Amino acid sequence: MSSTSNKLKSTVKNESLGVLSLAALGVVYGDIGTSPLYVMKTVFDPAHGLVISDNNIIGIISLIFWAIMMVVTVKYITLILRADNHGEGGIMALLSLASSSILNRNHLHRILFMIGAFGAALFYGDGVITPAISVLSAVEGLEVATPLLQPYVLPITLIVLISLFLIQQRGTGGIGAMFGPITLIWFITLGFFGLMNIAAAPEILQALNPLFAVSFCLDNGLLAFIAFGAVVLAVTGGEALYADMGHFGIKPIRLAWYGCVLPALILNYLGQGALLLTDPSAISNPFFLLFPSWALYPAVALATAATVIASQAVISGVFSVTRQAIQLGFLPRMQIRHTSDQKIGQIYIPFVNWILLAAVIMAVVGFGSSSSLASAYGVAVTATMVIETILTFFVLRFAWKYPLIVGILTTGFFLIIDATFFAATILKVFQGGWFPLVIGAIIFFVMITWNRGREILLERLRSDDIPLEPFLESLLAHPPARVSGTAIFLTSNVNGVPHALLHNLAHNQVLHACVVFLTVDYLETPRVLEEERVSIKPLIGNCYQITVKYGFKDEPDLPVALEMCKQHGLEFEPLKTSYFLSREIVVPSPSGGMTQWQERIFATMARNASNAAEYFKLPANRVLELGTRIEI
C-alpha cells in the first residue's frame, strides 16, 4: 500500500469513526437521500402510461429496492470503493488508475482518457439538474399544504437557489458543520414516517422478493422498460460514494450507508408504496402525503434544508472536478479562490459558479416542475455509470491483474444493468433529457479543444526550441554581465531554452547570478508526496533545472515547493528572486492541426485563461511576463 494511502488512514484515525460517518451523511449522501422526493411521482406520471395497481406498486418498489442493492450496495460500496487510488476516489481518480495501467498501449490509453473526460463532462450536466430538481421538489411540498401557495413555488425555489450560489464566494465552512446533523435528522424522518405507513399496509413488504420485480417487467413489457428511466432516479447520487472516498475514507462511508442511509431509504420507499396501496390518489405527491397535516410545514422546511445540502455537495463537486480537469490539461486555468484556511479542498471558482447558476435558473424556469425536470434527469448520470463500469474493467484486468474472465463476468454483470438504465433514460431525450447531454457535450468539446490545442501549441514551441545545455555552454563561454539575485524561468520543455530567457538577453543583455529553469509536471495520480515534490539537476554556471511534480488533486504553490529545495542545498531569498513567464499569444493559421473555427475558440480560451502567476501563487511584485506570438 502506498504511503499516501497510509497517510490518509492515519488522518482518518485522528477523528472518530462516528464523527466521520456523520460528516459523510451531509456530503456523500445528500443527493441520493433526496431522491424519495420525486421518484414515485415520476414513475407513475400519467405521461408514462403506467396504471396504478397493487401489482404495479409492489413491482415498482421491488425494482427500486433491488436497484439500490445491486447498483449502490454491491457495485459502489462493495466493488468500486476498493479502487483506492492513493487514498482518492472519483471518476478522475478511477480514470488515472485505469489509464496508468495501460501506459504501454498508447492508442488505448488515449481512447480511455477521452472516455473518462467525457464522463467528467457529463458531471456538469448533473451539477445543473441536481440542485434544480432537488430544491424545486422540496418547495413543491407547499402545494400539498395548500393550493393557494402554488404560484409562489417557482419564486421561492429561485430565491433559495440564488442564495445558495451567492454564499459560495464566502465559503460554507461555518454552516458546513451543521450539514451532517441536519442530514441525520432527515434520514431519521424518512425512516420513521415510512415505517408508520408500512404498518397500515404491511403487504408492501412483498416487494423485498425479487420475483415481484421480475413479474412486473414480464407483465408490463415496454411500459416496464420506460419505468426503468424513472426507477434509476432512486440510485442517482450513488457515484458520490466513490468520489468522496478521499475526504472520509472507506469505513465511515460504509458505516453511514449500512447504519443509516440504506434502511432509511428502503423504509421510505416501502412507506410510499404502502400509502399508494391504501390511497392511490396520493400519487399527486406520495412523499409529502406520508406526513400528517401537523408535520407538513416542518417536513417542507426540512426537505428544503436537505436539498440545499445535497445541492451544495454537487456544486463543491463541480468545483473539484474543474480543478482536476485544469491540472490534467483539459481546461484552461481559471481563478480559484480558497474559502477555508483549515481545509485545502474548500475552493470557489467564480466563472464556474455563475455559469452553473445561470444554467440552473434556465432549468427551473424552463421545465417549471420537478416532474418535468425528472425527464431531464438520469441520462447524464446513467452514462457516467456506464463509463465508470468500463473503467473498472481496466482496473480489474490491468491494475489488479485479475484473470480476463473474472473482469468480464464482474463488470459485464453491472454493465448490463447500467446499459439497461441508460437505454431507458435515452427514451426521455426529447422530453428534456437533451438538456444535460447538451451541457455535457459542450463541456466535452471545450475539453478536447483545449487539450488538443495545448498539444499543438507545445509541438510548435518545441519545434522552435534551442537545446538548453549546448546553448548554456555557448552563452557562458562569452557570458553577458551577471547581476545579483535569482531568475526563475518557467518552461514546459525541460530540454529547451525558454523564450523568456531569450527575450531577457536580447533586451536587458544580463544574466542573473543564479538561473533556474522550472518545469511543473502534472502526474496522472491524485497526490504527490512532499519528499517527491521537487527534483533538481545542476547545470553549468550556477544554473539549475528544477522539476516540481503535482497530482491532479494537489494545490499548486511554487514558492512553497521552492522552499523544499533547501533540503537539496539550494536556497532562494524571496526578495532577490524574480520569476520570468512566457505568455503565448495564439494566432490561428490555415495550416493548423484543428479546423479554423476550433483554433479561434482555442485562441480565445488561451487569451482569457487565468494568469499563471496567480495560479501558481507567485508574488505579484516579483513576476515579469514576456509575450510570444505563436501560430497554430
Side-chain angles (χ1 to χ4, degrees), residues 115 164 180 212 283 328 461 472 497 565 616:
I115 292 173
L164 175 62
F212 282 88
I283 194 59
L328 284 172
L461 289 170
L472 287 178
V497 178
C565 294
F616 290 118

Side-chain angles (χ1 to χ4, degrees), residues 92 95 112-122 330 444 447-448:
M92 287 295 188
L95 170 62
L112 207 60
F113 227 74
M114 287 297 105
I115 292 173
F118 183 60
L122 288 173
F330 283 105
F444 181 64
M447 283 181 165
I448 60 174

